[in-house]
Amino acid sequence: MKRPDTDQSELPAAEAWVVGLVTVLFSLAWFWTTRHGDGWLEADAASHYLGSRFALVEPFRLVDVWQRPLKTILYSVPAHFFGRAGIQAVSLLLALWCGIAAWLMARRLGVRRPWIAYILCLGMPLLFLHACSELTELPFAALMGLAAILHLRGRGLLAAVAIAILPLGRPEGFGVLALMAGCYVWQRAWVRLAILPVGLVAWSVAGWWLSGQPGGLAGTTTWLKDHWPYSAASVYQPGSLLHFIGLLPMLVGPIATPAVVAGMFVLTRRWFAADTSQRVTIAVVAGWPALLLLGHSILYWRGLMASNGELRYLLVAAPFWAACAASGWDWLWNVGRFARLDGGLPQGWCGVTGPVRLAAYALAVPVAVNQFLWGVVPLKNDDDWANAAFAARWYQMNVDHTKYPKVMAGHPGVYISLDRSNAGPGAAEWIDENLRHPPAGVVLLWDDVYGKFNADKRRQGSVEDIRAAGWVEDPYMVFGRPGGAGRDPHVWRVFFSPKPASMAPENR
């Protein structure tokens, strides 16, 4: 049997239907998951939903440091008009774009069948989960993929603009900004270098303006630094340096993991024999996920920058992982002599080559794992969300809203159940200042998870701290999960402001 050694960078009609079928099945699986699941992929997803949901009526959310302007601006319009379904639809489009970006990168790398990168990208289990979610990783990955493609195609000014926006999406953007600043200095590309800080400057100025212009004109330069929530030391326990490496199969898929390793090896070896243009391509496509893996491994190992070792941190390089996997897949199939398997694969695929068929088969592995072992999707809420909904109903039905018109809660489920902004006129922000100095007319709904644990130390409060601050506890309103049988307790408590709204100074 003839080995498929020749370049096939143009998608043949015989395999185009496989790409189309993968896209349709991915979209149908997304539709089924979002329609049958009411859960949240992460607690942060619910908070990000609230930020996007009310951003058009509360413009300060557009520049919120925790919510991230890139995500909020992207999701705000669909969230305002269509709620959570609108955000999820945009996430689906971003996931499909990540696949296209991986395809284009693989083509630049010279992969014989670059559309395999598209298939492998959509086969990433974590990418699919985020296509159904509201978090910041997917918008960042999509923009990072766009920036890389623009850079590799010689659209340097547009690439610089995209890179300048990256810090508005996630903290990893600062690292990319610093790396590209060094490259532009080396290349003496002064115009591109001047573009890089524009995003941060615009963010700081907009934040200064929308938050009431604090600090005079000098506040335009310090607003972002003053509102940055992260601390150098993490509130989470550090872990193993190899933590993320061990989780790679959950990120890229169990079948694609050997291909990623092989791809990194092949691209590193090829870099030494390549010309300058090829070296740049390899450095961009393979260097970003490698540096990301190294950086987050060190942060988690040393307990820095509020890192709790979540695998989704690596998803910001989704199209890059897939492009590397396609390169390794190509090498394993041809140089690795796996082409002999082609004759053993089921026939009748209308001329579809063995590598593409096997890549398509690989998509079934995460589906089978979900269906028969773990059952991750459709996402379902834990009982703490039922408790949050109960707390919201109790507030609606049992509290005198003329005296206590505001809610203060660490759990975002309370505000989602009320369909109320957690920073609007009907809420008091869950922050240290309000916890220690109770505002008038507030009902505080505290739980022992969201109330105590947060990457932002300003948003942590224990029962002892709340009682010491003068909040009045309702001793009859203690509910939740008692614990036992291997389950941690999840207890809720209710506190009232020392002064109702009718006693606030402005109402006297």
Side-chain angles (χ1 to χ4, degrees), residues 120 215 275:
L120 295 177
D275 58 27

Side-chain angles (χ1 to χ4, degrees), residues 152-239:
L152 294 177
R153 291 194 168 190
R155 304 295 179 88
L157 291 179
L158 291 177
V161 171
I163 293 167
I165 300 173
L166 284 173
L168 282 65
R170 281 191 56 80
E172 291 87 352
F174 288 90
V176 178
L177 199 73
L179 286 172
M180 292 308 299
C183 291
Y184 290 155
V185 170
W186 179 266
Q187 298 169 355
R188 298 187 178 182
W190 308 121
V191 174
R192 300 178 196 177
L193 182 66
I195 292 173
L196 292 184
V198 170
L200 291 174
V201 171
W203 186 5
S204 193
V205 171
W208 167 80
W209 179 264
L210 292 174
S211 59
Q213 305 176 20
L217 288 177
T220 60
T221 59
T222 63
W223 182 88
L224 184 58
K225 178 179 68 69
D226 295 340
H227 288 77
W228 194 254
Y230 294 103
S231 59
S234 176
V235 298
Y236 305 106
Q237 292 296 319

Side-chain angles (χ1 to χ4, degrees), residues 403-440:
K403 293 184 177 181
Y404 297 95
K406 295 185 178 183
V407 173
M408 183 175 173
H411 199 302
V414 172
Y415 300 101
I416 291 173
S417 297
L418 294 171
D419 195 23
R420 176 185 297 189
S421 168
N422 59 348
E429 187 178 5
W430 186 271
I431 198 166
D432 184 71
E433 177 66 22
N434 288 336
L435 289 170
R436 296 185 180 277
H437 306 283

